[in-house]
Amino acid sequence: MTPNNARLPKYGRVANPPAMRLMERDKHILETIHAFDGILSFTQIQRMFFTGKSQTEERLKLLYQNRYLNRPDQNRRRHLPEMIYWLDRRGAELIASKQGTPFHKFGWRQEPRWFQVEHDLAVNDFRITLRETLQQNPLITMESWIPESEFWAYPDRISYTYNGKSMQRKIIPDGFFTLTYRKMRIRYLLEIDRSTEDNPRFLREKILPGLAYINTKEYEHRFGHRSGRWVVVTTGERRLRNMLQQARRARTEGLFYFTTFDQTQSENLLTAPIWRRADREEKVPLIFLDEI
């Protein structure tokens, strides 16, 4: 057996990996990767489970070498912003067992969607920030989170009108989550927008179908209610202003909220005025504290 992590290669596995005892934190890491649509970056794992970089590196090496986790080879890594991890078979078997699911019926991401890794990591960043925000606001709780993969597997197709023409579109948000406080429940549909160029199609392809979706029987059947808000996180102020201009054409009122990535910090994601609505000039929070 390889005696210590210092002799492990940066890429590839050794024939005889060092022995390891699976700790509770290791199991939580595996469960969280699976819950986060099957992929987390090194930074995201460190952010949630460790305090130091070297400690994170050593533990992830062991999980990789012992086939609980997988990671990209050197060629793939060259095209990514940082190292990423997903479940290997041994890790998937452990999660399936913990859930009481026969492994042949257990659905898990066996490989990242390479064409949209950066997008998936951006979704994860928002979700992690949301978790941290809720830890600071105990009166607000997250009732559920539905990942994007669920909508890809079972999409809703809706009809809507654009410039007098009937159109159809599959609705696939980047995530759906429900927040509760006191007796109130608010449903949110997430759109992560990483484009840096103005897109005149945002009205036709996102806003109008998004508005129509909330009022459909498909939405009500899926979520039990015809209420919800779209939250859109984009790259910068110019892109945001373009989106607001298009939203005003559709009279979105309080159904679309916009902000930029650099404003989404854990201390202000929900309750600070960092969000823009098409029907208001001033910035607003997603949740007003005086409503709690």
Side-chain angles (χ1 to χ4, degrees):
M1 290 189 178
T2 303
N4 57 63
N5 285 4
R7 297 175 61 180
L8 294 175
K10 186 174 181 179
Y11 295 98
R13 289 186 169 112
V14 295
N16 297 300
M20 68 173 294
R21 178 188 174 198
L22 202 65
M23 310 295 287
E24 282 303 310
R25 180 172 59 185
D26 300 324
K27 297 175 185 177
H28 290 156
I29 291 172
L30 300 177
E31 289 174 322
T32 303
I33 289 175
H34 180 62
F36 273 62
D37 233 352
I39 177 178
L40 282 173
S41 71
F42 177 91
T43 300
Q44 290 165 349
I45 294 172
Q46 179 181 335
R47 180 177 173 184
M48 288 189 283
F49 294 102
F50 298 92
T51 57
K53 182 178 180 180
S54 60
Q55 183 189 28
T56 311
E57 289 175 340
E58 295 305 307
R59 204 62 194 172
L60 293 181
K61 281 182 184 178
L62 284 174
L63 289 168
Y64 168 68
Q65 291 294 338
N66 283 276
R67 298 184 180 274
Y68 289 102
L69 291 180
N70 208 341
R71 65 187 186 189
D73 59 25
Q74 188 171 6
N75 182 55
R76 288 281 195 187
R77 172 66 183 89
R78 191 178 297 118
H79 301 285
L80 299 174
E82 64 172 313
M83 183 63 79
I84 60 172
Y85 294 86
W86 62 97
L87 295 183
D88 208 337
R89 182 182 179 90
R90 196 175 180 187
E93 288 174 340
L94 186 145
I95 302 303
S97 176
K98 290 196 68 172
Q99 294 183 357
T101 304
F103 187 66
H104 69 278
K105 294 183 178 180
F106 180 66
W108 55 291
R109 189 174 299 285
Q110 300 183 38
E111 188 175 16
R113 295 174 292 191
W114 297 109
F115 67 97
Q116 64 171 64
V117 166
E118 293 188 50
H119 171 273
D120 291 344
L121 295 182
V123 174
N124 289 349
D125 280 336
F126 178 90
R127 186 174 174 183
I128 295 169
T129 300
L130 177 60
R131 282 173 40 141
E132 294 171 348
T133 303
L134 295 174
Q135 291 172 1
Q136 300 174 28
N137 295 274
L139 294 177
I140 310 171
T141 59
M142 183 159 63
E143 188 176 83
S144 63
W145 177 286
I146 301 175
E148 181 187 17
S149 58
E150 183 75 15
F151 296 98
W152 277 108
Y154 308 102
D156 288 325
R157 180 180 289 274
I158 60 99
S159 299
Y160 64 101
T161 301
Y162 174 71
N163 285 346
K165 296 181 181 179
S166 179
M167 307 191 75
Q168 288 193 340
R169 189 169 183 85
K170 291 180 180 178
I171 303 296
I172 304 177
D174 293 321
F176 176 94
F177 59 99
T178 304
L179 298 181
T180 61
Y181 54 93
R182 290 195 172 178
K183 296 182 179 180
M184 299 185 66
R185 177 181 290 112
I186 308 178
R187 299 161 183 85
Y188 297 92
L189 302 103
L190 175 65
E191 177 71 24
I192 295 293
D193 175 77
R194 297 184 62 255
S195 176
T196 57
E197 300 296 328
D198 291 345
N199 184 357
R201 298 178 300 176
F202 191 77
L203 173 66
R204 183 182 75 231
E205 297 179 356
K206 297 293 183 179
I207 294 177
L208 291 177
L211 288 173
Y213 182 44
I214 293 174
N215 292 308
T216 62
K217 65 180 185 298
E218 288 84 1
Y219 182 92
E220 183 177 17
H221 177 75
R222 191 164 202 151
F223 304 117
H225 208 278
R226 293 195 185 188
S227 69
R229 300 173 179 175
W230 284 89
V231 291
V232 183
V233 186
T234 190
T235 50
E237 287 296 325
R238 175 180 171 179
R239 176 76 169 153
L240 185 147
R241 288 194 299 269
N242 176 262
M243 290 177 166
L244 280 172
Q245 183 179 11
Q246 296 184 56
R248 291 187 182 103
R249 292 176 57 191
R251 300 179 65 85
T252 58
E253 298 180 344
L255 298 181
F256 270 79
Y257 287 69
F258 302 87
T259 193
T260 55
F261 288 110
D262 62 349
Q263 295 189 73
T264 55
Q265 307 300 320
S266 59
E267 63 271 14
N268 64 6
L269 182 64
L270 297 177
T271 58
I274 65 166
W275 298 89
R276 300 291 303 275
R277 286 170 43 167
D279 60 334
R280 296 187 181 183
E281 291 299 323
E282 74 278 8
K283 294 181 180 180
V284 298
L286 274 184
I287 296 177
F288 286 90
L289 287 176
D290 58 5
E291 294 177 350
I292 299 177

